Amino acid sequence: MRQLIAGNWKMNGLSAGAGALTGAIAAGAGEVSCDLLVCPPFTQVARVVEALRGSVVAVGGQDCHASASGAHTGDISPEMLADLGCSAVILGHSERRQNHHESDAAVHAKVLGAMRAGLMPIVCVGETEAERDAGKHVAVVGGQVAASLPDGFAGVIAYEPIWAIGTGRTPTEGDVEAMHRHIRSALVARLGAAGGGLRILYGGSVKPDNAAGLLAVPEVGGALVGGASLDAGQFLAIAAAVTV
Ligand code: PGA
Protein backbone atom coordinates (compact mmCIF):
# COMPACT_ATOMS: atom_id res chain seq x y z
CA MET A 1 0.00 0.00 0.00
CA ARG A 2 1.20 3.53 -0.74
CA GLN A 3 2.57 5.44 2.20
CA LEU A 4 0.43 8.21 3.67
CA ILE A 5 1.79 11.60 4.68
CA ALA A 6 -0.80 13.34 6.83
CA GLY A 7 -0.53 16.91 8.09
CA ASN A 8 -2.07 17.77 11.45
CA TRP A 9 -2.42 21.54 11.56
CA LYS A 10 -3.68 21.44 15.15
CA MET A 11 -5.15 24.81 16.33
CA ASN A 12 -3.42 26.81 13.62
CA GLY A 13 -4.74 28.64 10.60
CA LEU A 14 -6.87 31.70 9.97
CA SER A 15 -8.50 32.17 6.60
CA ALA A 16 -5.68 33.88 4.72
CA GLY A 17 -2.92 31.61 5.99
CA ALA A 18 -4.91 28.41 5.52
CA GLY A 19 -5.75 29.42 1.98
CA ALA A 20 -2.14 30.15 1.11
CA LEU A 21 -0.86 26.95 2.71
CA THR A 22 -3.46 24.84 0.91
CA GLY A 23 -2.69 26.46 -2.42
CA ALA A 24 1.03 25.82 -2.05
CA ILE A 25 0.48 22.19 -1.07
CA ALA A 26 -1.89 21.62 -3.98
CA ALA A 27 0.62 23.15 -6.39
CA GLY A 28 3.31 20.63 -5.43
CA ALA A 29 1.18 17.60 -4.73
CA GLY A 30 1.30 16.11 -8.20
CA GLU A 31 4.97 15.28 -7.89
CA VAL A 32 4.85 12.89 -4.95
CA SER A 33 4.34 9.14 -4.96
CA CYS A 34 2.46 8.84 -1.66
CA ASP A 35 -1.05 9.60 -0.48
CA LEU A 36 -1.45 13.09 1.00
CA LEU A 37 -3.90 14.27 3.64
CA VAL A 38 -4.27 17.59 5.43
CA CYS A 39 -6.23 17.98 8.66
CA PRO A 40 -7.07 21.66 9.24
CA PRO A 41 -8.98 23.00 12.23
CA PHE A 42 -12.77 22.65 11.88
CA THR A 43 -13.16 26.31 10.95
CA GLN A 44 -11.03 25.88 7.83
CA VAL A 45 -12.27 22.51 6.61
CA ALA A 46 -14.79 23.85 4.10
CA ARG A 47 -12.28 26.35 2.67
CA VAL A 48 -9.57 23.71 2.36
CA VAL A 49 -11.91 21.15 0.76
CA GLU A 50 -12.94 23.76 -1.79
CA ALA A 51 -9.34 24.75 -2.54
CA LEU A 52 -8.30 21.12 -2.99
CA ARG A 53 -11.20 20.11 -5.23
CA GLY A 54 -9.71 18.20 -8.15
CA SER A 55 -6.34 17.71 -6.45
CA VAL A 56 -4.96 14.45 -5.07
CA VAL A 57 -4.80 15.86 -1.53
CA ALA A 58 -7.49 14.54 0.82
CA VAL A 59 -8.90 16.43 3.80
CA GLY A 60 -9.56 15.15 7.31
CA GLY A 61 -10.74 16.37 10.69
CA GLN A 62 -8.68 16.39 13.87
CA ASP A 63 -11.38 14.93 16.11
CA CYS A 64 -15.09 14.16 16.13
CA HIS A 65 -17.91 13.09 18.42
CA ALA A 66 -19.04 9.48 18.40
CA SER A 67 -22.69 10.27 17.63
CA ALA A 68 -24.22 11.33 14.34
CA SER A 69 -26.21 14.20 15.87
CA GLY A 70 -27.80 15.26 19.13
CA ALA A 71 -27.49 17.47 22.18
CA HIS A 72 -23.70 17.82 22.30
CA THR A 73 -22.93 21.52 22.45
CA GLY A 74 -19.74 22.46 20.69
CA ASP A 75 -19.11 19.01 19.22
CA ILE A 76 -18.80 18.00 15.58
CA SER A 77 -20.10 14.65 14.34
CA PRO A 78 -18.34 12.37 11.87
CA GLU A 79 -21.30 12.77 9.54
CA MET A 80 -20.73 16.55 9.60
CA LEU A 81 -17.09 16.07 8.59
CA ALA A 82 -18.11 13.71 5.79
CA ASP A 83 -20.78 16.18 4.69
CA LEU A 84 -18.10 18.87 4.34
CA GLY A 85 -15.96 16.63 2.15
CA CYS A 86 -13.61 15.04 4.66
CA SER A 87 -12.53 11.47 4.06
CA ALA A 88 -10.58 10.91 7.28
CA VAL A 89 -10.35 11.96 10.91
CA ILE A 90 -7.57 11.87 13.49
CA LEU A 91 -8.78 10.27 16.72
CA GLY A 92 -7.19 9.84 20.13
CA HIS A 93 -4.35 12.26 19.55
CA SER A 94 -2.31 12.54 22.75
CA GLU A 95 -3.27 16.21 23.03
CA ARG A 96 -6.91 15.12 23.21
CA ARG A 97 -6.19 12.20 25.49
CA GLN A 98 -4.31 14.56 27.86
CA ASN A 99 -6.15 17.88 27.51
CA HIS A 100 -9.66 16.47 27.13
CA HIS A 101 -9.25 13.29 29.19
CA GLU A 102 -10.18 11.04 26.30
CA SER A 103 -10.04 7.42 27.38
CA ASP A 104 -9.45 4.41 25.16
CA ALA A 105 -13.18 3.71 25.49
CA ALA A 106 -14.03 7.20 24.24
CA VAL A 107 -11.65 6.78 21.31
CA HIS A 108 -13.17 3.36 20.57
CA ALA A 109 -16.64 4.95 20.36
CA LYS A 110 -15.36 7.72 18.10
CA VAL A 111 -13.72 5.19 15.80
CA LEU A 112 -17.05 3.41 15.42
CA GLY A 113 -18.68 6.74 14.62
CA ALA A 114 -16.05 7.58 12.02
CA MET A 115 -16.44 4.19 10.34
CA ARG A 116 -20.24 4.57 10.38
CA ALA A 117 -19.85 7.89 8.53
CA GLY A 118 -17.44 6.42 5.99
CA LEU A 119 -14.40 8.27 7.32
CA MET A 120 -10.96 6.68 7.59
CA PRO A 121 -9.99 6.86 11.28
CA ILE A 122 -6.36 7.62 12.10
CA VAL A 123 -6.00 6.36 15.65
CA CYS A 124 -3.09 7.77 17.64
CA VAL A 125 -1.23 5.81 20.30
CA GLY A 126 2.00 6.50 22.14
CA GLU A 127 3.75 6.47 25.48
CA THR A 128 4.95 9.26 27.76
CA GLU A 129 8.63 9.68 28.47
CA ALA A 130 8.16 8.35 32.00
CA GLU A 131 6.48 5.23 30.64
CA ARG A 132 9.35 4.61 28.24
CA ASP A 133 11.94 5.23 30.96
CA ALA A 134 10.13 2.69 33.12
CA GLY A 135 10.16 0.15 30.29
CA LYS A 136 6.38 0.19 30.05
CA HIS A 137 6.06 1.59 26.53
CA VAL A 138 5.31 -1.71 24.82
CA ALA A 139 2.58 -2.57 27.31
CA VAL A 140 1.10 0.94 27.22
CA VAL A 141 0.89 1.11 23.44
CA GLY A 142 -0.35 -2.47 23.19
CA GLY A 143 -3.09 -1.64 25.65
CA GLN A 144 -4.10 1.47 23.71
CA VAL A 145 -4.28 -0.52 20.46
CA ALA A 146 -6.35 -3.26 22.04
CA ALA A 147 -8.79 -0.94 23.78
CA SER A 148 -9.11 1.85 21.20
CA LEU A 149 -9.89 -0.31 18.16
CA PRO A 150 -13.29 -1.90 17.59
CA ASP A 151 -13.77 -5.28 15.94
CA GLY A 152 -13.60 -4.91 12.18
CA PHE A 153 -11.40 -1.81 12.44
CA ALA A 154 -10.52 -0.41 9.04
CA GLY A 155 -8.23 2.59 9.22
CA VAL A 156 -4.76 3.74 10.11
CA ILE A 157 -2.71 3.67 13.32
CA ALA A 158 -0.31 6.49 14.17
CA TYR A 159 2.44 5.72 16.66
CA GLU A 160 3.37 9.02 18.28
CA PRO A 161 5.62 8.87 21.34
CA ILE A 162 4.39 11.83 23.37
CA TRP A 163 7.91 12.95 24.24
CA ALA A 164 8.73 13.29 20.54
CA ILE A 165 5.77 15.54 19.67
CA GLY A 166 6.85 19.12 19.04
CA THR A 167 10.17 18.58 20.79
CA GLY A 168 12.58 17.96 17.93
CA ARG A 169 13.49 14.63 19.55
CA THR A 170 12.74 11.34 17.85
CA PRO A 171 13.22 7.70 18.81
CA THR A 172 16.00 5.84 17.04
CA GLU A 173 15.00 4.10 13.85
CA GLY A 174 15.55 0.84 15.70
CA ASP A 175 13.11 1.88 18.42
CA VAL A 176 10.55 2.90 15.81
CA GLU A 177 10.92 -0.45 14.05
CA ALA A 178 10.54 -2.38 17.30
CA MET A 179 7.37 -0.52 18.25
CA HIS A 180 5.85 -0.75 14.78
CA ARG A 181 6.52 -4.52 14.71
CA HIS A 182 4.85 -4.78 18.09
CA ILE A 183 1.84 -2.79 16.86
CA ARG A 184 1.65 -4.99 13.74
CA SER A 185 1.53 -8.11 15.94
CA ALA A 186 -1.18 -6.54 18.08
CA LEU A 187 -3.22 -5.66 14.97
CA VAL A 188 -2.97 -9.17 13.58
CA ALA A 189 -3.82 -10.67 16.96
CA ARG A 190 -6.85 -8.41 17.18
CA LEU A 191 -8.07 -8.28 13.58
CA GLY A 192 -6.64 -11.37 11.92
CA ALA A 193 -5.28 -11.13 8.38
CA ALA A 194 -6.84 -7.67 7.90
CA GLY A 195 -4.50 -6.34 10.57
CA GLY A 196 -1.54 -7.23 8.39
CA GLY A 197 -2.46 -4.70 5.73
CA LEU A 198 -3.22 -1.59 7.77
CA ARG A 199 -0.86 1.35 7.61
CA ILE A 200 1.04 2.29 10.75
CA LEU A 201 2.27 5.89 10.62
CA TYR A 202 5.09 7.31 12.70
CA GLY A 203 4.53 10.77 14.21
CA GLY A 204 6.60 13.08 16.39
CA SER A 205 9.06 15.70 15.11
CA VAL A 206 9.10 14.40 11.54
CA LYS A 207 11.05 16.95 9.49
CA PRO A 208 12.54 16.99 5.98
CA ASP A 209 15.96 16.03 7.35
CA ASN A 210 14.85 12.90 9.23
CA ALA A 211 11.93 11.83 7.02
CA ALA A 212 13.82 9.59 4.61
CA GLY A 213 15.30 7.53 7.42
CA LEU A 214 12.06 7.21 9.36
CA LEU A 215 9.95 6.42 6.29
CA ALA A 216 12.33 3.65 5.24
CA VAL A 217 11.96 1.80 8.55
CA PRO A 218 10.22 -1.56 8.08
CA GLU A 219 6.51 -1.42 9.03
CA VAL A 220 6.39 2.39 8.77
CA GLY A 221 3.53 3.19 6.40
CA GLY A 222 3.87 6.95 6.41
CA ALA A 223 3.98 9.89 8.78
CA LEU A 224 1.68 12.09 10.81
CA VAL A 225 3.28 15.52 10.71
CA GLY A 226 2.50 18.40 13.03
CA GLY A 227 4.73 21.47 12.99
CA ALA A 228 6.34 20.81 9.61
CA SER A 229 2.91 20.46 7.98
CA LEU A 230 2.34 24.21 8.47
CA ASP A 231 5.05 24.92 5.90
CA ALA A 232 4.16 23.70 2.40
CA GLY A 233 7.81 23.34 1.42
CA GLN A 234 8.61 21.19 4.44
CA PHE A 235 5.44 19.12 4.11
CA LEU A 236 6.11 18.42 0.45
CA ALA A 237 9.78 17.67 1.17
CA ILE A 238 8.68 15.04 3.70
CA ALA A 239 6.32 13.58 1.09
CA ALA A 240 9.15 13.57 -1.45
CA ALA A 241 11.23 11.49 0.95
CA VAL A 242 8.86 8.56 0.42
CA THR A 243 10.67 6.08 -1.79
CA VAL A 244 8.82 2.83 -1.12
P1 PGA B 1 5.03 17.34 15.50
O1 PGA B 1 3.55 16.83 15.86
O2 PGA B 1 5.33 16.87 14.10
O3 PGA B 1 4.96 18.84 15.63
O4 PGA B 1 5.95 16.71 16.50
C1 PGA B 1 3.10 15.57 15.48
C2 PGA B 1 1.69 15.34 15.94
O5 PGA B 1 1.35 15.74 17.07
O6 PGA B 1 0.88 14.75 15.21
Side-chain angles (χ1 to χ4, degrees):
M1 191 180 284
R2 277 155 68 96
Q3 291 205 343
L4 169 65
I5 304 298
N8 174 11
W9 294 6
K10 307 192 179 183
M11 196 174 73
N12 295 291
L14 301 177
S15 301
L21 175 57
T22 307
I25 291 171
E31 289 154 36
V32 302
S33 60
C34 57
D35 292 338
L36 288 175
L37 173 74
V38 292
C39 300
F42 290 132
T43 49
Q44 296 302 324
V45 166
R47 173 187 307 277
V48 170
V49 166
E50 191 54 39
L52 291 175
R53 207 172 290 285
S55 97
V56 296
V57 186
V59 182
Q62 299 176 11
D63 177 45
C64 66
H65 196 276
S67 300
S69 62
H72 303 290
T73 303
D75 281 315
I76 306 283
S77 77
E79 280 76 1
M80 290 171 175
L81 288 175
D83 182 50
L84 280 179
C86 286
S87 56
V89 61
I90 298 168
L91 294 172
H93 190 281
S94 59
E95 288 153 13
R96 298 219 48 97
R97 290 178 184 266
Q98 290 185 330
N99 301 346
H100 298 269
H101 311 292
E102 287 190 7
S103 63
D104 288 332
V107 176
H108 184 282
K110 291 180 179 208
V111 173
L112 285 173
M115 289 169 56
R116 178 191 66 234
L119 298 176
M120 177 180 78
I122 301 174
V123 179
C124 301
V125 296
E127 80 283 358
T128 64
E129 185 160 34
E131 287 165 344
R132 178 164 282 266
D133 289 347
K136 294 180 180 160
H137 49 291
V138 169
V140 166
V141 171
Q144 289 174 329
V145 169
S148 300
L149 303 187
D151 293 343
F153 174 74
V156 174
I157 301 289
Y159 168 56
E160 298 203 306
I162 294 168
W163 50 273
I165 294 175
T167 60
R169 297 167 56 205
T170 55
T172 66
E173 290 167 14
D175 286 342
V176 172
E177 179 174 350
M179 184 61 87
H180 279 232
R181 288 195 186 284
H182 168 65
I183 293 171
R184 176 68 68 207
S185 303
L187 289 174
V188 171
R190 182 66 204 278
L191 304 167
L198 301 181
R199 287 184 285 204
I200 307 169
L201 311 185
Y202 168 77
S205 295
V206 177
K207 307 290 178 199
D209 62 357
N210 62 19
L214 289 164
L215 291 167
V217 171
E219 294 291 6
V220 169
L224 182 55
V225 184
S229 75
L230 296 172
D231 180 304
Q234 290 193 35
F235 186 61
L236 292 168
I238 291 167
V242 172
T243 52
V244 286

